[in-house]
Amino acid sequence: MATTFPTPEGVRPGRAADEGPPRPAGAPGRRSLPVLAAFVAAAWLVPAALVPLGLGIVVLPILLLAVASVIRVGGGLLDRLVVAGLIVVGSVLVSGLLFSLWPWGLSPVATSGTLLTAVAVTGWLARRRPRIPLRVRPSDLIVLGTAGVFWRYLHHPLAGKSAAERLSFFSTAEDRLNHFSYFSGIQHVGGYNFLHQEEARAYMMSPAEVTYPQGTHFLLAWVDSLVHSSADPGAMLGVMNRYLLYVLVAYTLLATALVWAARWIGGPRLRGWRTAAVCGTVMALMLASNYTYLVIHGFDSTIIGLLMFTVTLALLIRPAMGRAEYALVALAGLITVTYVYNLFGAAVGLAVVLSVLVHRRRFAGGPRRWLRYALMGAVGLGLAGLPSAVSVLSELDVASTASLGGPSVEADRTLLVGGMLLALFAALAPTNRRTGAGQAHLAVVLGTGAVVFGFGWYQINTLGEYSYYFEKLAGCAIVVALISLGAVGSLLRTPAPVRSSRGRRLATDGVLSGLAVATALSLFAGMQWNVHSFKGGPVAWHTNSLIGWSRGDAWSDIGPRDGATVLADLKDIQGPVMALYSNDDYKNLKSTWLAALLRERGGDMLPLYETHWINIGAAPRPEPEYQAAMEHVRLAITKVGQPLTIVVVDRGLADRMGRDIADAGLKATVVTMPDNQWIHPWNKSFPGD
């Protein structure tokens, strides 16, 4: 017998909330053309008024509330906003195909006006009166508190520093410079790079303009147009600073979404201190995890991909909503995840199929209804697969890409294996298995496990080891493991309530909830509440990656001295620049890349990637090392094919390099940058800051 839950808004009495109604509720009324005209006018007047005042970012919460007001999803205010957020992101990414082709590009007025108009027309066609539930739950404090805790630690090393000083945290890894170049390209071409390939090559290393998924970068570029209240990004130093903040916000939202998703999957049966125990445990596991290295290593698309995967999966497992919303959420999730990080597309696509099979009764009806939803699915699948298809049909070699190596953030094996086993245990529990949500949960656990561990089996049998992309895909299993704690929590039993006043019951539940969260933080995050370890050594809390980032341990030491040093003035140097500030080849690569990005010439890095093997510039090197480095210098000059300026620190080295380059019949200018022209980010400002 299926368990019946309290009826959420939009679900008819007498039906299980996780099974959904045959049609969304809501008082249908007459469609009034004057009302539609008023909403459409407001859709354009609001951004047109806010953007010139520099308040374009206010459009974002307005759009979120507008979507939330016309959908009908079970739960309270926070739940409604999360679902609306997924729909907004999916709408932005799909509309980006239009924005990339029309003449207004990423104009904040044109794009937001179009999106708000679409919301107004959709609500009018569906006869939906704007309505937002104001109900909140006590556990909302834990969900929102998670956001506050993570933001406090992530933003702490940036607080009080100028934009130039923050470059040392922006440039912690080569991958972030890559991601920023895709983001910058979208800003400059006014849309997806794969739809403006010739123009986009000036801003990134080709063929990334067509092979790499660009959903993350398009989404952030559109958000930046609202934040900056202009499609023109402005000075690149400021853009880099804003981009870094967006990445930190995204990781904060990922941790918050995991806590919310666990609570959502637990459903109405997860109440009181049990909710606090589940939410506190998920928060603690994320605090202690090594996933802050996703920020440090510049895996920006992975962060947002896991964020969207988390929200989508939770809603597919327990779709407490009507048919229309369910279809919209499934399509928005599929499109969003594949646009942002198409590696996760296999996992989310399988989850959509399994969810539809489990919840198929909500689509019961005649052939016309099935045909309508089948057509929606076909269109959605085509839109979701479009960028990936373009990549595969261009220069992307899927087989070789799947076997790539490189630095990665390893998925914690204890959480990966133990968490998936615990998720399977919860999904197989009879209490959960009797519900539609429980059956969908079981299907998703098995499906995701098959995708992740199947890919691992493939890599072991072809490479003999797990490589870069297995660790990325394993993040999907980590997500399943964490959010499945909601299903575990719903199995916990509480004694029959003792007769007492409501106030006393609330106070008791509040105390137990606080103890549950504190216990979870101690057991799983290593927080020992200022109780020192033996002989004053650091406790586990002080050794995790998040606390290390907060202390400032992860700053990038680009340049000859501590800190991310950059040239005082690059404006007077025409053409490509190779910045050899160090005798460390990787630092030289990042310095050269940073110089190219600051000058809006990211495309120079295709030939200048030779810098990755040039370990000279700051001091004399042994002769064999000098000669080996000069081979790559000469190769870079040849590949660039236009006048190249090489900036070094050591004057004697500059003279020798200049002579050797001339003797080889090549043309390049070698200059030195004296100490008084360096900018040290800890004590000076960058021009335009």
Side-chain angles (χ1 to χ4, degrees), residues 194-358:
F194 72 88
L195 295 177
H196 298 274
Q197 295 178 31
E198 290 297 325
E199 296 175 71
R201 291 189 184 104
Y203 305 100
M204 67 201 67
M205 288 197 297
S206 189
E209 74 280 355
V210 66
T211 58
Y212 199 88
Q214 299 161 21
T216 291
H217 318 99
F218 185 91
L219 176 65
L220 296 184
W222 177 74
V223 170
D224 192 61
S225 73
L226 295 179
V227 172
H228 194 56
S229 292
S230 173
D232 180 0
M236 293 305 291
L237 182 64
V239 182
M240 288 179 178
N241 179 59
R242 297 197 300 270
Y243 180 87
L244 176 59
L245 294 177
Y246 301 152
V247 172
L248 300 185
V249 169
Y251 190 75
T252 299
L253 291 177
L254 170 60
T256 306
L258 286 165
V259 175
W260 171 85
R263 187 185 73 170
W264 176 266
I265 288 178
R269 289 179 296 155
L270 189 65
R271 295 179 178 276
W273 64 265
R274 295 180 299 162
T275 306
V278 166
C279 293
T281 299
V282 175
M283 176 173 63
L285 289 171
M286 275 300 290
L287 284 169
S289 79
N290 64 336
Y291 266 17
T292 308
Y293 284 115
L294 294 175
V295 176
I296 297 170
H297 289 325
F299 295 163
D300 304 344
S301 286
T302 304
I303 293 171
I304 297 183
L306 291 175
L307 166 61
M308 299 306 166
F309 182 75
T310 298
V311 176
T312 301
L313 214 61
L315 295 173
L316 290 174
I317 290 173
R318 194 177 76 87
M321 59 193 78
R323 280 190 300 265
E325 280 80 2
Y326 175 67
L328 186 59
V329 162
L331 293 178
L334 179 63
I335 290 170
T336 298
V337 174
T338 52
Y339 274 48
V340 167
Y341 207 70
N342 51 16
L343 176 65
F344 301 154
V348 77
L350 181 59
V352 169
V353 172
L354 294 173
S355 175
V356 169
L357 289 175
V358 171

Side-chain angles (χ1 to χ4, degrees), residues 456-474:
W457 177 88
Y458 165 80
Q459 288 204 330
I460 288 293
N461 283 272
T462 55
L463 304 177
E465 61 181 359
Y466 298 120
S467 73
Y468 180 81
Y469 278 114
F470 171 78
E471 301 300 341
K472 292 292 189 79
L473 189 60

Side-chain angles (χ1 to χ4, degrees), residues 114 161 228 248 259 273 382 406 419 428 431 435 472 514 593 679:
T114 300
K161 292 182 173 62
H228 194 56
L248 300 185
V259 175
W273 64 265
L428 286 172
T431 303
T435 67
K472 292 292 189 79
W593 209 330
I679 287 183

Side-chain angles (χ1 to χ4, degrees), residues 12-54:
R12 288 193 324 190
R15 294 184 60 87
D18 60 345
E19 294 177 359
R23 71 172 67 92
R30 296 179 58 187
R31 296 191 181 104
S32 170
L33 287 176
V35 170
L36 174 62
F39 277 115
V40 170
W44 289 93
L45 290 174
V46 168
L50 292 173
V51 169
L53 297 175

